Amino acid sequence: MKHLIRSYSIGLLTAAIVVGITYWNSEEPSVEVKEKSPGTEEMISQLEEDGYHVVSNEEWEAQQQTTASSSDKEKEKSTLVTFSIDIVSGTNSTEISQKLQQANIIDDANAFETFMKENDYSRFIQIGQATLNSEMTHQEIAEAITSK
């Protein structure tokens, strides 16, 4: 049995050596892949066939300017916000500031609350209803909701 295993081992070793020598001595075929890059017109036509629109830089810039000017006009139209606030007994300046910020009348509730306290408006908050808009200053809003 030893003889059989040794013979089998020597056969495997010989086969591995033959395959290794063949692998190291053979040259790999060199394959060069040359891709022809399509021209600008070919790329544009392919994109248009796929459903895309191709515009030049000048057309793109003109479109961006048109879009920007129309969005500015829309912003100007939509910037005025009017809000009617009901002030009940026990309402403090913090609650009012938060309501005004939620209604987009003021940008920063903390800044308005600080303004109210520093200028002594928070002590004179008047119960009732006040109509405010987003173009009013902190001073105007404070005067509208207080009796000072």
Side-chain angles (χ1 to χ4, degrees):
M1 184 79 171
K2 273 186 175 180
H3 244 330
L4 184 62
I5 293 174
R6 285 183 184 164
S7 300
Y8 186 71
S9 311
I10 291 173
L12 284 175
L13 181 62
T14 306
I17 290 172
V18 169
V19 169
I21 291 171
T22 306
Y23 175 77
W24 280 304
N25 287 334
S26 64
E27 292 181 23
E28 292 183 26
S30 61
V31 178
E32 289 185 35
V33 178
K34 292 183 180 179
E35 288 188 29
K36 179 186 172 194
S37 61
T40 305
E41 294 300 322
E42 293 173 1
M43 287 190 281
I44 291 173
S45 64
Q46 181 63 41
L47 287 171
E48 288 175 345
E49 287 174 10
D50 291 343
Y52 295 97
H53 298 283
V54 181
V55 294
S56 67
N57 285 340
E58 294 82 20
E59 294 169 332
W60 175 255
E61 289 171 2
Q63 179 65 31
Q64 292 299 324
Q65 289 175 353
T66 304
T67 305
S69 65
S70 65
S71 66
D72 288 343
K73 289 178 184 176
E74 289 176 12
K75 285 180 184 176
E76 288 174 6
K77 290 179 185 177
S78 64
T79 54
L80 180 63
V81 177
T82 303
F83 179 67
S84 181
I85 186 169
D86 290 322
I87 302 172
V88 294
S89 179
T91 304
N92 59 24
S93 62
T94 304
E95 295 169 357
I96 294 171
S97 299
Q98 291 172 354
K99 286 181 183 179
L100 293 176
Q101 184 176 9
Q102 289 173 354
N104 291 326
I105 301 297
I106 58 173
D107 293 329
D108 187 9
N110 292 332
F112 181 71
E113 185 178 353
T114 303
F115 174 82
M116 292 281 288
K117 289 180 181 176
E118 286 178 354
N119 294 301
D120 204 29
Y121 282 107
S122 57
R123 296 185 328 155
F124 299 101
I125 295 175
Q126 189 171 9
I127 296 172
Q129 186 175 23
T131 302
L132 310 169
N133 66 49
S134 58
E135 291 182 352
M136 295 175 82
T137 64
H138 286 180
Q139 178 79 28
E140 292 171 335
I141 294 171
E143 289 175 359
I145 62 174
T146 63
S147 61
K148 185 176 177 184

